Amino acid sequence: MEMLINGFRERFGGEPETIMRAPGRVNLIGEHTDYNDGFVLPVAIDRDIMVASRRRDDGLARIFSFDPDILVEFPMDDIEYDSENRWSNYSRGVARHLQEAGHNLSGMEAAFLGNVPRGAGLSSSAALEVSMAMSFEKVSGLEIDPVEMALICQKAENEFVGVNCGIMDQFISRMGRRDNALLLDCRSLEFEQVPLNLEGIKIVVCNTGVQRGLVDSEYNERRSECERGVKILEELLPGIKALRDVDISDFHKYKNHLPEITERRCEYVIEENNRVLESVQLLEEGDLVGFGILMNESHIGLRDEYEVSCPELDTMVTIAWSTEGVIGSRMTGAGFGGCTVTLVQEDAVEELIRKVNKEYPEITGLQPEIYICTAEDGAGVVE
Ligand code: GLA
């Protein structure tokens, strides 16, 4: 915080008007379901991006990043993609799309700093988009509907940054609530806070250190496979619009009409949607053991049917599964690297950390990072 404010003073002189934060997220269950009109169950975590900002009346945005140590400037009425300072495209994108949605933004000077690891599948980009959108909202004296803001941030990522993500990450970063997971219906955008009664249990996130290299092309390929499945199933099940509408027993009846790969992809998504709904019920009943089993099944589906895991993620999950006191463990986020999420009894956390630090490098040659996370509020003002 001190570093952020000092950086702002150094670059812009004087004091920031406001400090906004937006968190990264870890998805507990419901992977690759958001772009299938399905259900997700993420939590906002205690790692975030903070933006110190002040209004400008000359129609300019000046954005300072600590790492890399660079200041960019752009006119609010003519916002172009910056292929040199790619990090700045998140700010440019939200500024442009907020305005295209009809919001009258002022200029702004801002410095940002964060501790969401980048490229680790914890949605540092959504955190940056949402924290910037919140800052533009504030300095411009606006009040933007939070769901609309999440949608605009997603649009900025899809159309300006050029990443074809679903709505989960921006939504949870904006709407998360402390001690809760968020059940989101990605079709209607109706949502429900689901209390996490985690007494004696910790959420442990393990970073494989593998940056999600393949992710863009593979991610888009999975999306197309799902769309192809819907196209074929539509003929047999009139009225379905997405995999979300397909009942698992209908799927079994008709799945032999699908190419083999499409079949496996679709089966995973339909089952994962069911797992999310079942998870919410189990969490409401306080059945964490049952929930942990669903987390494990989710990983197996992602590994074997959807095929978005990788050896490092599988190794990390296997280490967790073999640790006494672990309730459930799975890869989280898009896959092909990044992090796993594990629920573990508090008194077994130390042993889990010990095993991961010893066994993971032995098997993979890579150094893991471990974050013990809490479920925190979504974006807001830092008092
Ligand atoms: C990425 C995307 C999300 C979602 C997940 C997979 O994090 O940004 O929209 O599709 O992958 O569940």
Side-chain angles (χ1 to χ4, degrees), residues 25 27 30-35 40 121-123 125-126 154 157 163-170 212 215 219 223 268 302 330-335:
R25 63 98 187 93
N27 190 19
E31 218 64 81
H32 290 276
T33 44
D34 62 352
Y35 54 79
V40 293
L122 299 179
S123 295
S125 36
Q154 181 203 12
E157 178 134 1
V163 174
N164 206 9
C165 61
I167 184 61
M168 167 167 70
D169 306 342
Q170 292 78 11
R212 318 170 300 153
V215 79
Y219 188 87
R223 289 188 74 138
Y268 161 77
L302 288 158
R330 56 184 288 278
M331 56 153 275
T332 185

